[in-house]
Structure formats: structure tokens, C-alpha cells
Amino acid sequence: MQMNSSRRQSLIIQDITVTYSQNEHASFEALHHIRLTVPKGTVCAVLGPSGCGKSTLIKTVAGLLHPASGTVTMDGAPLDPHRVTIGFMPQNYGLLPWRTALSNVLLGPRIRKQDVQAARARAGELFTQLGIAGLEGRFPKELSGGQQQRVALARAFLLAPDLLLMDEPFSALDAITREEMQDVFLTLWREAQTTTVLVTHYVEEALYLGRTIVLMRAGGTIAETIDNPLFGKKSAR
Amino acid sequence: MHWKKLLTTYLLGAAFLLILWQIIAFIASIPIIPQPSRVFTRLARIFTSSIAIHAAYSLWRIAAGLVLAVAIGYPLGLAMGYSRCADRLLSPMVYLTYPVPKIALLPILMLLAGVGELSKILMIFLIIVFQVVIAVRDAIRAIPEETFFPLRVLGAGFPAMLREVILPATLPKFLTAVRVAMATAISVLFFTETFGTQYGMGYFIMDAWLRVNYLDMYAGILVLSVLGLALFTVIDTTERAACRWQR
Ligand SMILES: Nc1ncnc2c1ncn2[C@@H]1O[C@H](COP(=O)(O)OP(=O)(O)O)[C@@H](O)[C@H]1O
Ligand SMILES: [Mg+2]
């Protein structure tokens, strides 16, 4: 019974194949029969070389790409953005350049027509917690890479999503800032315990942030799924 | 702060032009180039009694043409930028008609819409609408697909996409297009106001010229210049305020 309920509440990627059509005649298979289960409240790190299909996988889970075959389900039902809150953090942070930092963070409540005033108070807390208090009125262009990343994290965690998807969130940062941001992420994550899929091409990042690690290889297949005992341990890096 | 600096440059420029005018008038000393002081005196005397109504007519025609052009051009550009299908359908028409100097269509326009108000407004509409369509279409095409991702995963519908992404992303190019088209629109309006109407700055200036009333004519030119300047300032200020994120 216990087993059954925990299984129902996890993210299940069932046998998905994704193809990109290049023209009328040719298509390219980026993912080949991917099967993956992410238990509720864990971080799954997807690790693999560039071009192996990591972004394709995360976009498919986010519902931005439609698989040629296979299904993505959560809590036993297909992922529907109106039923399940999905936080998506693309590689370039995905901030709207014409919105201030605060306004970017409040995007979720605006779209979902939630109480923006209440969200504003929570956003203030997040800005302080993330060390970006005072930058609320700045546009993304006026922020450093690390600061933009923090704004994107604030936006993701303000949503309190059921599922958090991050595509190489810390890759564009320098080594020191990256380690700092990994710690910031873990702190926030421990409070929320959000089911998370995190894509990376850094082995240390996968070891530090992934409760399970999925190793992908070129051609869009999974080589191995590893239960990671080093999750959250500083010694991993 | 910024505002004051802008005002100072404008005032300095105006002062320089006035001094130049004064010098030329003094040296030439012919009736076709009157002293600025005399023109300003005349302007003060006749502005409310006669020029104001002409200025109002010109302004109304520009505003009506502009509103019409935006109301039709923006959705059209949006459709062309958003859907390949709409673009394939509409592009040939836009490209075939875009390079035609719109003023050349004036005789046809006057035959169809009469010499009155409608043909003048339609002329301004024609000049602005193509610029708007092309600017909006290109601006939408330039939006990276990823910009929509954070909204799409939240299940955002088209109204939210429009508000959060499309409108702000197209605003800079849209305003630039309107500003560029506005210069042409004002010159063409001047021309169209020289017939078929008793009102408008074009009519006023040409009428003063025919009456050999050079002071009235100069007063009219002055008002038309200020009108143009005011329109540019409005667009410029809007652009500056709305596109702060770009700099
Ligand atoms: N829009 C696209 N059209 C065609 N092929 C694509 C497209 N996007 C990605 N690909 C191809 O799919 C494969 C996987 O890409 P991607 O998922 O971006 O890899 P990763 O994120 O692991 O670097 C690559 O070989 C890439 O060339
Ligand atoms: Mg990628």
C-alpha cells in the first residue's frame, strides 16, 4: 500500500521517444525509448555529454516538446500545466528582459491570477534569503550572471512548484559562483523538498545535487541510473 | 534630471535658429524674410482667433490616421509574425504595395473617398500602416522561442503571452516605425491640405502665401514646426519610458 502510493506520486517517464523533423523527408531521433522514475521529493540529476539529448528530455517533461511515443505522468495522470505547477529554469535563466527582477519573480502569480500582493511579501523574503535584496528594481541586463541566476531561483521557488525542471542552471557561471549557487539551491530545496530534475554536464554537480543520477549517452539513451550516497555532501566536490 | 537636460538642449537649439533667422532677416532685409519678432507678435495676435482651429484639424487628421494604422497594422503584423501561414498569404501583398510612394495613390484615393476628410486620413493611414506591419512582424520573429517557455509551462494562454512577451518585445521597433513614418505623414498631410478643405495647417500656410501675407505664412510654418516637434517628443518620451530595459 505504502509502496503503491509513493509510486503514484512520483514523476514517471515512460518509454518516450522524441524526434525532430528536419525537413519533409528527414527526421532526427534525439531520445530513444527513455524510461525513468523520479520519486516524489527527490532531486534527479541527469548527466551526459553535450548533444546527448538532456535539453530535449527536460523540454519534453515540461510539455514544451511532444514525444513521438511514450508518456510523462505525475501522480498517475498526464502532466498538465493547469493541474500541476511546473517550475522551468532554462539554460539562459529565462528572465523577461523587459521586466524588473521583482516583476520577473512575480510572473507565476500574475499568470496564475493568484494574490500578487501576498506573493510580493514572500518575494521580499526570497530576495533577502538569496542575497539580492535591493536589486528588485533592476532589469536583467543590469544584473550579473550570478544575480540573474538568483532571481531565476527566486522565481522558481516562489511558485512552490510540484515539479522543478532545471536545464544546466549553473553552467554559465564561473567555478566559485557555481559552487555558491549550488549551496543556495540546496538550502532552498531542503525547505521545499520539491521533486526536481536537474540537467548538468558536471560530474561533481551531479554528485553534489542529485539524489539519483541518470547517466545518458550519445544517441539519446540512458546508460545507467545510480543511487547517489554522496547527495548533499560537500565532500562530493 | 534627464528631462531638464533635454529641455535645455531644445531651448539652446531654438535660440540658435532664432539668432540665425534674425541675422539673415537683417542682412537680406526683404519682405519674404520678416524679422522673427514681428512673426511672433503676429502669431500671438492670431493664434487663438485663426491658427488654433487649423492646427486642431491637422492634429485630428494625424491622430485619426495613426490610430487607424495601429488598429489595423498591429494585428496584421502580429498575425504575420506569429503564423507562417498568414505570412505566406499576406507577404506578397505587403511587398508589392509597400514600395509604391503612397502620395502617388492620392488621385485614386480622392476619386474613391472624395476630396474631404476621409481621403486625407486614409493617406496618413497608408503611410504609417506598412511601416507598422513590417516592424511588428520582424519584431515578433526576432523573439527567441525560449522567451515563451517559462510562460508555456505555467499554462499561459494567448492574452498572457501578448501582455507578458509580445507587446513589450515589439514596442521598441513599433515606436521607431511610427516615428519614421510620422515625418513622411506630416509632409504628405501638408500637401493634401492644400485642396479640398478650408482647414488645416497646409491650407492656412498656402492661403497666406496666396494672399501675400508673409507674416501669417511664417506664423503658420512656426506652428506646424512646433506641432511636428511635439509629436516627436511624445513618441520619443514614450519610447524612453517603455524601453528602459534595453539600455
Ligand atoms: N530544434 C532541433 N532540431 C533538430 N535537432 C535538434 C534540435 N534541438 C536539438 N537537436 C539535436 O538533438 C540532439 C540533442 O540535443 P539537446 O537535447 O539540446 O542536447 P544536450 O542538451 O544534451 O546538449 C542534438 O544532436 C541536437 O543537434
Ligand atoms: Mg542542453
Side-chain angles (χ1 to χ4, degrees):
Chain A
M1 195 68 213
Q2 184 65 40
M3 175 79 190
N4 192 20
S5 97
S6 89
R7 183 155 177 83
R8 258 200 12 245
Q9 292 181 335
S10 41
L11 172 74
I12 298 171
I13 297 166
Q14 200 137 52
D15 215 19
I16 60 167
T17 297
V18 177
T19 52
Y20 289 108
S21 57
Q22 279 152 334
N23 51 49
E24 294 92 280
H25 315 292
S27 66
F28 174 78
E29 194 177 278
L31 290 180
H32 185 76
H33 294 290
I34 295 282
R35 235 174 259 171
L36 177 63
T37 299
V38 183
K40 193 182 173 69
T42 65
V43 182
C44 170
V46 177
L47 182 65
S50 185
C52 72
K54 303 185 297 295
S55 294
T56 306
L57 176 63
I58 213 156
K59 280 184 205 163
T60 309
V61 174
L64 298 166
L65 290 175
H66 298 290
S69 67
T71 55
V72 180
T73 58
M74 197 165 169
D75 300 356
L79 263 185
D80 171 6
H82 296 286
R83 195 178 54 86
V84 177
T85 307
I86 303 172
F88 178 69
M89 205 190 285
Q91 212 158 344
N92 58 2
Y93 316 130
L95 299 176
L96 298 174
W98 40 80
R99 289 284 190 176
T100 61
L102 179 62
S103 191
N104 260 294
V105 169
L106 294 175
L107 177 74
R110 275 205 308 279
I111 300 285
R112 301 233 137 175
K113 300 191 173 63
Q114 290 162 348
D115 183 357
V116 175
Q117 218 46 47
R120 202 178 283 269
R122 170 79 180 119
E125 287 169 23
L126 279 168
F127 269 81
T128 308
Q129 195 177 358
L130 286 163
I132 44 172
L135 303 181
E136 288 87 347
R138 296 240 194 129
F139 290 100
K141 220 176 192 174
E142 301 163 341
L143 298 168
S144 72
Q147 289 167 340
Q148 288 184 35
Q149 177 65 73
R150 283 163 200 261
V151 173
L153 274 177
R155 175 162 85 181
F157 280 95
L158 180 78
L159 266 179
D162 303 309
L163 176 64
L164 180 57
L165 305 170
M166 304 166 96
D167 192 355
E168 307 207 17
F170 312 121
S171 292
L173 306 172
D174 59 83
I176 294 172
T177 315
R178 188 164 62 237
E179 296 198 350
E180 211 177 291
M181 289 311 301
Q182 290 167 353
D183 290 334
V184 166
F185 166 75
L186 262 191
T187 310
L188 286 171
W189 185 85
R190 286 202 165 103
E191 279 175 25
Q193 305 268 321
T194 313
T195 310
T196 303
V197 179
L198 181 142
V199 160
T200 180
H201 63 246
Y202 289 107
V203 177
E204 316 88 76
E205 189 163 289
L207 284 171
Y208 187 42
L209 298 180
R211 180 71 189 75
T212 50
I213 299 174
V214 170
L215 265 176
M216 284 184 71
R217 68 175 154 230
T221 54
I222 288 177
E224 209 174 340
T225 304
I226 305 162
D227 212 24
N228 174 29
L230 296 175
F231 168 65
K233 296 208 170 70
K234 281 243 193 262
S235 56
R237 317 193 277 224
Chain B
M1 188 67 180
H2 176 85
W3 233 94
K4 275 186 188 150
K5 220 160 100 188
L6 201 74
L7 196 68
T8 319
T9 27
Y10 272 26
L11 286 176
L12 276 175
F16 175 76
L17 286 174
L18 276 179
I19 291 167
L20 201 69
W21 179 4
Q22 179 70 56
I23 291 170
I24 293 170
F26 184 75
I27 294 171
S29 172
I30 45 174
I32 183 73
I33 309 177
Q35 306 251 339
S37 57
R38 292 182 61 212
V39 173
F40 278 105
T41 316
R42 170 63 66 105
L43 177 61
R45 213 159 55 78
I46 62 169
F47 183 77
T48 43
S49 63
S50 73
I51 294 189
I53 182 80
H54 294 284
Y57 261 93
S58 292
L59 207 58
W60 141 250
R61 285 165 187 150
I62 291 174
L66 177 66
V67 166
L68 206 60
V70 173
I72 292 176
Y74 197 96
L76 216 60
L78 190 78
M80 288 171 73
Y82 215 71
S83 120
R84 290 272 149 202
C85 181
D87 188 46
R88 256 201 303 278
L89 221 74
L90 296 168
S91 258
M93 287 202 280
V94 171
Y95 277 112
L96 286 175
T97 43
Y98 179 54
V100 177
K102 303 302 166 300
I103 192 80
L105 299 175
L106 187 62
I108 304 170
L109 214 59
M110 288 197 304
L111 284 174
L112 291 176
V115 290
E117 218 57 17
L118 188 60
S119 63
K120 291 173 178 52
I121 291 169
L122 282 180
M123 200 67 223
I124 292 174
F125 160 78
L126 277 181
I127 289 165
I128 300 176
V129 76
F130 287 94
Q131 305 271 359
V132 168
V133 167
I134 289 174
V136 170
R137 185 198 62 177
D138 290 349
I140 287 177
R141 290 229 185 114
I143 305 173
E145 198 197 358
E146 295 83 55
T147 312
F148 293 99
F149 286 175
L151 284 89
R152 279 178 56 194
V153 297
L154 290 172
F158 185 73
M161 301 275 194
L162 197 65
R163 188 186 68 229
E164 296 289 337
V165 177
I166 296 172
L167 284 176
T170 52
L171 200 57
K173 280 189 184 130
F174 166 74
L175 286 173
T176 307
V178 169
R179 191 175 40 186
V180 170
M182 192 58 85
T184 322
I186 292 174
S187 339
V188 169
L189 177 70
F190 178 89
F191 181 67
T192 61
E193 281 179 344
T194 55
F195 37 83
T197 180
Q198 303 273 305
Y199 294 104
M201 288 316 296
Y203 169 80
F204 180 86
I205 291 169
M206 294 309 278
D207 181 59
W209 177 57
L210 292 173
R211 287 185 285 113
V212 205
N213 189 336
Y214 293 135
L215 283 184
D216 273 12
M217 188 180 83
Y218 270 87
I221 293 171
L222 217 58
V223 169
L224 189 60
S225 309
V226 170
L227 205 74
L229 184 69
L231 284 172
F232 274 91
T233 311
V234 167
I235 299 173
D236 236 39
T237 313
T238 316
E239 200 172 353
R240 225 180 282 273
C243 308
R244 211 157 52 90
W245 56 273
Q246 274 196 318
R247 279 167 295 120

